[in-house]
Amino acid sequence: MSSESTDDPVFKALAHHRRREILDLLKDGARTTGTLCDLFPDMDRCTVMQHLKVLEEADLVIARKEGRERWNHLNSLPIKQIYDRWISAYAGHALSILDRLRSDLEDQPEQ
């Protein structure tokens, strides 16, 4: 399986603004599913659970049961892998283009 196809669930999970909001909340620390549901009063529990399922399938969230509570923990490794594979490579290319443009502009005589 190619790295592009293994990245697909991560991109799918990150594509929805609500899932990104959930990840932002988990960045500050693990939260129970009930707490996450309370933080999104405009969504019913089933919808929040569906978003969490997509995040789990992308390995962005790791859920642990403790008693009757389900704790959701952020796993930022897939995001780091996306950054390493896609963002950093393109950012480096963009910076080299901007550096070349700056040099070209500095080399032009003033008018």
Side-chain angles (χ1 to χ4, degrees):
M1 188 184 267
S2 71
S3 66
E4 286 77 20
S5 61
T6 60
D7 292 342
D8 287 349
V10 178
F11 282 113
K12 175 186 174 185
L14 294 173
H16 197 284
H17 72 97
R18 289 298 191 168
R19 291 192 283 267
R20 292 190 306 270
E21 289 174 10
I22 291 171
L23 292 176
D24 284 340
L25 290 169
L26 295 177
K27 184 175 55 176
D28 297 329
R31 299 194 187 233
T32 65
T33 300
T35 300
L36 290 171
C37 291
D38 291 343
L39 293 169
F40 295 97
D42 57 324
M43 288 193 294
D44 60 40
R45 184 176 181 84
C46 185
T47 303
V48 174
M49 294 285 293
Q50 287 173 341
H51 284 306
L52 285 169
K53 183 175 190 253
V54 172
L55 292 168
E56 280 185 77
E57 289 171 353
D59 200 28
L60 291 165
V61 167
I62 298 169
R64 303 270 188 249
K65 277 207 65 109
E66 294 180 21
R68 294 186 57 164
E69 294 182 317
R70 183 175 184 266
W71 284 86
N72 301 282
H73 302 263
L74 173 66
N75 178 21
S76 57
L77 186 59
I79 295 172
K80 168 96 169 73
Q81 291 168 335
I82 293 288
Y83 175 82
D84 292 344
R85 165 63 178 93
W86 292 96
I87 298 168
S88 66
Y90 287 94
H93 179 69
L95 288 173
S96 68
I97 290 172
L98 289 172
D99 188 47
R100 192 170 348 126
L101 176 62
R102 182 185 54 83
S103 294
D104 290 347
L105 290 172
E106 287 175 351
D107 292 342
Q108 287 185 354
E110 291 187 34
Q111 295 182 14

